[in-house]
Amino acid sequence: MRAVTRGFLGPLLALSLVACAPVQFVEDYDPVLDQGLSRYQEDVAGFMAEMAARAGTPAGAYEDTDVQVFYARTDTQLQSFVDRAQALDDDGTCLPANFVGQGIKQVVDESTAFIQASEFGTGQADQVTEVFDSFGDGSDTVGAGNCTVVILKVVQANHEILQLVHEDNDSLPPIVVDILGPTLDQSVRIAIKNEVLKKNRAE
């Protein structure tokens, strides 16, 4: 197994908002994002369980038609979430001065360093690193866009890592799913928690 799959035990995109102090958000609660993220979370969990059970078979291979359909559909879904968050607050900025910004900046730095040291195929590490680099250098902002946009981009990047690992290994065996599953699920939970906090603030 390649080093990239073993290395995901580290805090790649782990970020918890559960125990943080109240955070002031600029953006309003969006039930479409909240519900959409919950459906995505269930969809991905089911997909990864299926891939673990089908590892080493044609149905679990990256080039399988159903697998390609899944990635095409979820890629589009996540991009629609990002586009929606940008449209709802196009001028927002996620500042490192707040808890969310500090956490995102930390995991972005850790993720970039990890991916650069990993054994992705030629060009693939650069593709994912560009996503993280786009969040900014952290001197004034974590990234262009409100915190909802940045968090969704973290989910999007995590999803892309899943796809790259699947492509690189041509399967998602149980040991890989056991590593990637919680990592991806945690990043989605962060995005959902973001919406819940905004909903509670509004109420």
Side-chain angles (χ1 to χ4, degrees):
M1 182 173 296
R2 302 177 68 89
V4 63
T5 57
R6 295 193 297 270
F8 274 94
L9 285 172
L12 177 58
L13 292 179
L15 169 63
S16 175
L17 299 180
V18 176
C20 69
V23 178
Q24 185 68 30
F25 291 94
V26 175
E27 317 93 83
D28 292 328
Y29 167 71
D30 186 355
V32 173
L33 286 179
D34 191 358
Q35 296 164 14
L37 285 164
S38 294
R39 287 193 298 269
Y40 167 79
Q41 185 181 37
E42 294 175 1
D43 201 9
V44 170
F47 171 77
M48 295 185 76
E50 288 182 5
M51 292 300 98
R54 298 173 181 175
T57 72
Y62 178 75
E63 295 298 335
D64 178 76
T65 300
D66 289 340
V67 170
Q68 289 299 303
V69 168
F70 167 82
Y71 282 123
R73 175 169 53 80
T74 50
D75 286 349
T76 300
Q77 184 181 28
L78 289 176
Q79 186 58 52
S80 73
F81 293 162
V82 173
D83 292 343
R84 182 177 180 85
Q86 289 174 327
L88 291 173
D89 183 17
D90 190 43
D91 297 324
T93 299
C94 193
L95 299 175
N98 66 37
F99 183 90
V100 177
Q102 290 172 357
I104 294 172
K105 181 66 177 93
Q106 179 182 352
V107 295
V108 166
D109 287 344
E110 292 173 353
S111 300
T112 301
F114 174 82
I115 291 170
Q116 288 174 334
S118 298
E119 295 183 9
F120 281 124
T122 303
Q124 292 180 332
D126 292 340
Q127 293 172 15
V128 181
T129 301
E130 286 176 5
V131 176
F132 293 124
D133 287 346
S134 70
F135 295 157
D137 61 13
S139 57
D140 298 315
T141 64
V142 173
N146 59 66
C147 281
T148 300
V149 170
V150 177
I151 291 172
L152 288 171
K153 286 183 177 180
V154 170
V155 175
Q156 196 175 37
N158 238 338
H159 182 87
E160 183 174 358
I161 291 168
L162 169 67
Q163 186 171 355
L164 290 177
V165 170
H166 197 168
E167 181 180 12
D168 202 35
N169 291 277
D170 197 39
S171 68
L172 289 175
I175 188 171
V176 176
V177 170
D178 287 345
I179 296 169
L180 287 176
T183 302
L184 180 54
D185 183 70
Q186 175 70 353
S187 63
V188 180
R189 287 177 182 272
I190 294 162
I192 294 173
K193 181 66 174 179
N194 179 34
E195 293 304 319
V196 171
L197 289 172
K198 291 189 292 183
K199 181 180 181 180
N200 291 341
R201 183 202 65 178
E203 293 176 348

